[in-house]
Amino acid sequence: MNAKIDTSDACDLRFGQVGIACVRVRRADAAALCDELERRVRAAPQLFSRAAVVLDLSHLLDLPDDGIVDALLEAVRSAGMLPVGLAYGTSETEALAKRMGLPLIARFRAAYEPEGGSVAAPASAAVEPAIAAASIREPIHATSPTTAPALGAQHHEGAVRSGQQVYARGRDLIVAGAIANGAEVIADGHIHVYGSLRGRAMAGAQGDEKARIYVSDFRAELVAIAGHYRVFEQIPKDLEGQSVQCWLDGEKLMIARL
């Protein structure tokens, strides 16, 4: 008797909005990178321990050889994070990723390779001060700012539960409810939270540095604007439970009571 063959699909494959941090390497020093990332993990273990990260090598003057890149990847793992790919840079970066068996995060492609196909090195690479081993930017970071969102605000009624993510693409986000620990709200424009923020809020996700975050009950794990973030293991007493607004002053993320 013939065995019955199961012709149903073995799996479903879908693309979604995934929170991945970017480790932007300033100098090819694996030991310094490990020390810096360990410090970040110790400061906010719930956020960074076993966090998925992309390694961005675009700010180095020269692309490191395979051995150095392997050491950098191992430094990330040793610090307690999980490297999942390389940020797209040049054709050499693509070849490197293939040799390392890693994917490229193509969302960074436009920042490095013009439409004509010729590769342009990042203008800041030669002048960027090498004072830090890495700079971590939050998920959905883009290297060039976009214009202000033209769409009407996206509304989310009710709570955002732990592990849930709400993303307002190309618009502001208004949340009428609490945001739990471990939950994320993300918007390309402003974020308004009419409830308690205990999780993470990331505004200006595509690089809009004029975006702001407004919260009626501030108890956040993290807030970020255009990739610049602040992590809170303990909320300052003068901000805990208060109505606040967050904005960028240069590259410094400011928070003040309303």
Side-chain angles (χ1 to χ4, degrees):
M1 185 174 182
N2 294 332
K4 184 178 180 180
I5 298 175
D6 185 359
T7 59
S8 62
D9 292 339
C11 68
D12 290 323
L13 178 62
R14 299 182 182 182
F15 287 93
Q17 194 62 48
V18 179
I20 301 178
C22 178
V23 175
R24 180 171 293 171
V25 179
R26 305 289 190 188
R27 50 191 170 93
D29 184 334
L33 176 63
C34 185
D35 288 345
E36 174 68 12
L37 294 182
E38 282 182 342
R39 183 180 67 82
R40 306 288 182 113
V41 172
R42 285 196 303 269
Q46 288 187 333
L47 181 63
F48 292 133
S49 181
R50 295 187 58 78
V53 298
V54 170
L55 205 64
D56 182 354
L57 305 173
S58 67
H59 281 236
L60 298 174
L61 288 175
D62 298 299
L63 191 66
D65 62 33
D66 293 18
I68 293 176
V69 174
D70 191 54
L72 294 173
L73 292 168
E74 185 56 36
V76 174
R77 296 186 189 99
S78 296
M81 296 180 174
L82 301 176
V84 296
L86 299 182
Y88 189 93
T90 64
S91 57
E92 288 79 8
T93 310
E94 184 172 6
L96 171 65
K98 288 180 179 179
R99 293 195 302 272
M100 305 302 292
L102 292 171
L104 288 176
I105 306 303
R107 69 179 315 109
F108 295 99
R109 182 185 302 266
Y112 301 106
E113 189 167 307
E115 266 186 40
S118 60
V119 175
S124 58
V127 297
E128 195 82 37
I131 57 175
S135 173
I136 299 178
R137 294 294 178 96
E138 281 307 300
I140 322 176
H141 172 69
T143 55
S144 56
T146 61
T147 56
L151 301 172
Q154 176 176 320
H155 293 256
H156 180 88
E157 298 291 336
V160 183
R161 299 181 301 276
S162 180
Q164 185 178 4
Q165 184 187 82
V166 177
Y167 177 35
R169 185 185 300 275
R171 61 179 68 188
D172 298 341
L173 175 64
I174 298 174
V175 180
I179 300 167
N181 293 100
E184 293 181 348
V185 291
I186 304 169
D188 291 346
H190 307 297
I191 294 177
H192 302 257
V193 180
Y194 297 106
S196 177
L197 171 61
R198 296 180 181 271
R200 310 166 193 170
M202 290 164 271
Q206 295 294 336
D208 184 2
E209 297 182 348
K210 295 182 179 179
R212 295 199 174 208
I213 299 172
Y214 301 91
V215 182
S216 61
D217 182 3
F218 187 74
R219 305 174 189 275
E221 293 176 331
L222 174 146
V223 289
I225 296 175
H228 302 275
Y229 71 91
R230 287 180 63 177
V231 175
F232 298 93
E233 284 297 293
Q234 291 185 330
I235 300 294
K237 292 299 182 183
D238 61 327
L239 297 178
E240 184 176 5
Q242 301 298 314
S243 296
V244 305
Q245 65 171 321
C246 310
W247 73 98
L248 280 184
D249 183 1
E251 293 193 349
K252 186 175 182 181
L253 199 153
M254 311 294 293
I255 304 176
R257 293 172 59 178
L258 286 171

